[in-house]
Amino acid sequence: MLRPLLLISTLLFAVFNLVVAQTPKEDLLPCAHTGKSDWLDAYQRGEIAAVRSTDTIVVPLRIHIVGNNLGGSFLEVGRILDNLKQVNDDFAASNIVFHVDGDINYIADSEFDNHDFGVGIAKMLEYNAPNVVNNYFVTTAAGACGYYTGQGDAVAMADACVGATDRTWSHELGHFFTLPHTFFGWEFGDDPVTPINDPAPSTIFGREVERTDGSNCDGIAGDGFCDTPPDYLSFRWSCQDDNTYVYPLLDPDGVTFEVQGWPIMSYASDDCMVGFSDEQTTAVRTNIFSRGNLESGLPPEYEAAVGEQMALVYPEDSALIQIQESEGLTLEWTEVDNADFYIVNFSGNEFFAGAQNYIVYGQNSLNIPASDPYIQAPQRYYWRVRPVNRFNTLGEFTPVNLILLGEIISSTSEERLLAERVTVYPNPVEAGLNSLRLTASGIYGNEQLNVELIDLAGRRVFQQSELSIRNGKLDYELPALNLMQGVYFLRLVQGGRLATKRIVIR
């Protein structure tokens, strides 16, 4: 069954994308999550048995992209998919694979797009889908790059902190699966405490401070994991060449140590982070199994879909075309292995600034109605397509094609009525089962109807003349035509009226 395409942005969306400002990443808190879960406390006390299996765990992610009430400020989906590749790289050593579950969801909600913590929780509970990890991409996420909240049981991500090499999403998913910050205990209070010249206190905000000798690491101090090194730094910091903080710190015993930047659950900068410790990995895997509703099947094989293997078929590059008002503009490309859906960029400029973006599921063509305010003639348009695999979102766009749209040919009200009253089914139709049925009622006049089927190259592949219209009704079955997969146009001519129906053979 063919899936409908999803329009991400209209001209209105694109205009508002230009005027909505994002707070720079460096001006945001690294994370708004605090605390440690009761589940993890029980796990570290040995009350929850650890899952020691190393089998691959597949976790469904639902992507929600939030914009304002006018349909603007939506984050470009390609940035999210690029970041998801980094997330899967970060969790690869844990043998955990995240995949895009279901359709990408667009939410026009200004209050959610720029929210504080309380509003975020309420909106998550309103929009969450069941049995998935819900992720919301917003302009402002409670003043931070991101956070996970157990009350809303979802992750919120600020648009400014999403990108191909950003680790914020991996960090927040760590929180989702119950990991605290490596500096847990130091995150409370107005100012971070960073002992450099004096030993650290033995407790901080009621919790023991982790010692370098490992005497209190096991569930008591810090994050409770003994294979993550002590960390007292509750602010974003850059590492030296050896991946450590620039200043040595002193633990409560006065022992000097270097704060390590490799843990993703720290506040080190993205280029310092490497991954999760073995103990963190076991806790995450155990938490996934304990939830009982987050596993999904792994396909036997999956690879990224490669845009270089695709071709943009129609219109041909730099083609001068005209379109019928009733038909709109059709774009077609070749299918590519491993593609679960396609992102189509369509723009009036070669830099794709303010471009319209579409997600197309289950087919390799897109029809843009001539009524779309973005479609004007004469006008130059540029388009490209990116194939996406749900499990491996690495990918690039095809080379760009140019369209020279010369004219939009208007349809009369009678022609529009003819197109509306004629039904073609099944549509889409499976290749090899090409029999199509035309039915209609309320057709204007009793003139005979002529039918032609045209392929994208403009070739007539079928013609039937002088079909009888009786009392405004039609019932006619086209013979099996053994057509190749692709898009075709059924041209209906009655008297001086012309209408076109789009047919998909898959």
Side-chain angles (χ1 to χ4, degrees), residues 191-321:
D191 297 307
V193 181
T194 55
I196 296 176
N197 299 315
D198 299 309
S202 59
T203 62
I204 183 76
F205 296 103
R207 184 170 180 83
E208 285 193 33
V209 172
E210 186 172 359
R211 288 169 160 78
T212 58
D213 63 5
S215 60
N216 65 346
C217 63
D218 193 4
I220 299 173
D223 61 3
F225 296 111
C226 288
D227 61 351
T228 57
D231 180 0
Y232 308 159
L233 304 180
S234 59
F235 54 87
R236 195 189 307 278
W237 55 277
S238 298
C239 59
Q240 305 179 93
D241 291 342
D242 63 355
N243 231 31
T244 62
Y245 183 53
V246 63
Y247 300 112
L249 304 187
L250 299 176
D251 80 351
D253 297 324
V255 178
T256 301
F257 71 96
E258 307 282 351
V259 179
Q260 301 293 315
W262 63 262
I264 283 176
M265 300 312 296
S266 73
Y267 272 1
S269 58
D270 294 329
D271 59 338
C272 306
M273 295 178 175
V274 176
F276 302 95
S277 73
D278 290 343
E279 291 181 14
Q280 286 177 319
T281 290
T282 302
V284 167
R285 293 174 62 86
T286 302
N287 183 260
I288 293 173
F289 282 111
S290 73
R291 286 174 173 263
N293 61 357
L294 283 182
E295 293 180 82
S296 58
L298 184 71
E301 295 181 6
Y302 63 92
E303 296 179 0
V306 181
E308 294 178 353
Q309 298 176 356
M310 297 173 55
L312 303 184
V313 176
Y314 182 84
E316 294 182 356
D317 189 26
S318 302
L320 175 63
I321 64 170

Side-chain angles (χ1 to χ4, degrees), residues 138-159:
V138 299
T139 300
T140 303
C145 265
Y147 65 87
Y148 163 71
T149 165
Q151 293 170 281
D153 199 30
V155 168
M157 290 285 301
D159 294 345

Side-chain angles (χ1 to χ4, degrees), residues 312 317 349-350 352 381-384 397-402:
L312 303 184
D317 189 26
N349 63 81
E350 60 186 309
F352 290 88
Y381 288 103
Y382 301 84
W383 67 293
R384 59 188 182 182
F397 281 98
T398 62
V400 176
N401 267 18
L402 170 65

Side-chain angles (χ1 to χ4, degrees), residues 32-33 111-112 115-128 134 136 138 140-142 147-156:
H33 177 87
E111 188 180 19
F112 197 10
H115 69 263
D116 59 24
F117 205 70
V119 169
I121 292 171
K123 293 295 184 179
M124 289 170 176
L125 294 175
E126 178 182 350
Y127 293 117
N128 275 355
N134 289 281
Y136 295 91
V138 299
T140 303
Y147 65 87
Y148 163 71
T149 165
Q151 293 170 281
D153 199 30
V155 168

